[in-house]
Amino acid sequence: MIAVADTNALYRLLDPRLTGHEAHKKALATISHLVISPMVLAELDYLIAERAGARKALAAARFIERYTATRRFEVPSVAAHLSTAIAVAEGYADADGGKGVGLTDAMNVALAAAYGTEVLFTTDRHFRMMRPLTGHGAFRLLPDDQ
């Protein structure tokens, strides 16, 4: 199964002290190929560095690097998907009381379409209101929808 990763799921996966860590480990075991946007990678680095320090952020980067080397994870270029992501963000500009959808989440929707999947590795509930571009009726959110 191919899935697109969101920042919050990777963060929970990488910190065993967080609620949901085990569920995220189990969900990852069901995913054969995890697509990680460079935008998510940047958010994750910032989040970990701010909360746990630079060494933890580097350890997280090394973890992702190891799985990328084995081709289980992929960090694709997003340039070809930028127009689609912007269109997605524009389509949800009034969502969530006018807060809209950020470009990182919109890129996850665009990458899911590019990889032909409706599976997102995320705990963000706002993906429930968003529709996949793949023709599926809804996103499948892991670990919740296992």
Side-chain angles (χ1 to χ4, degrees), residues 87-110:
V88 168
E90 288 173 337
Y92 290 97
D94 294 326
D96 196 16
K99 292 180 188 174
V101 172
L103 190 58
T104 299
D105 289 342
M107 183 59 73
N108 282 347
V109 172

Side-chain angles (χ1 to χ4, degrees), residues 23-130:
H24 283 76
K25 277 178 53 177
K26 288 177 185 173
L28 182 62
T30 69
I31 297 168
S32 58
H33 190 73
L34 188 66
V35 179
I36 305 169
S37 161
M39 298 165 76
V40 165
L41 194 57
E43 280 186 350
L44 182 66
D45 177 67
Y46 176 79
L47 184 65
I48 294 173
E50 282 295 305
R51 293 184 180 176
R55 290 190 188 283
K56 293 281 187 182
L58 288 169
R62 287 288 185 198
F63 170 82
I64 291 168
E65 177 189 44
R66 279 193 305 276
Y67 280 98
T68 300
T70 65
R71 299 183 192 261
R72 175 116 187 271
F73 291 1
E74 180 178 352
V75 181
S77 171
V78 295
H81 310 290
L82 187 56
S83 293
T84 302
I86 292 169
V88 168
E90 288 173 337
Y92 290 97
D94 294 326
D96 196 16
K99 292 180 188 174
V101 172
L103 190 58
T104 299
D105 289 342
M107 183 59 73
N108 282 347
V109 172
L111 287 174
Y115 284 83
T117 187
E118 81 291 359
V119 182
L120 299 177
F121 186 49
T122 185
T123 57
D124 275 356
R125 303 270 187 252
H126 66 264
F127 283 108
R128 297 267 185 228
M129 68 156 177
M130 301 176 77

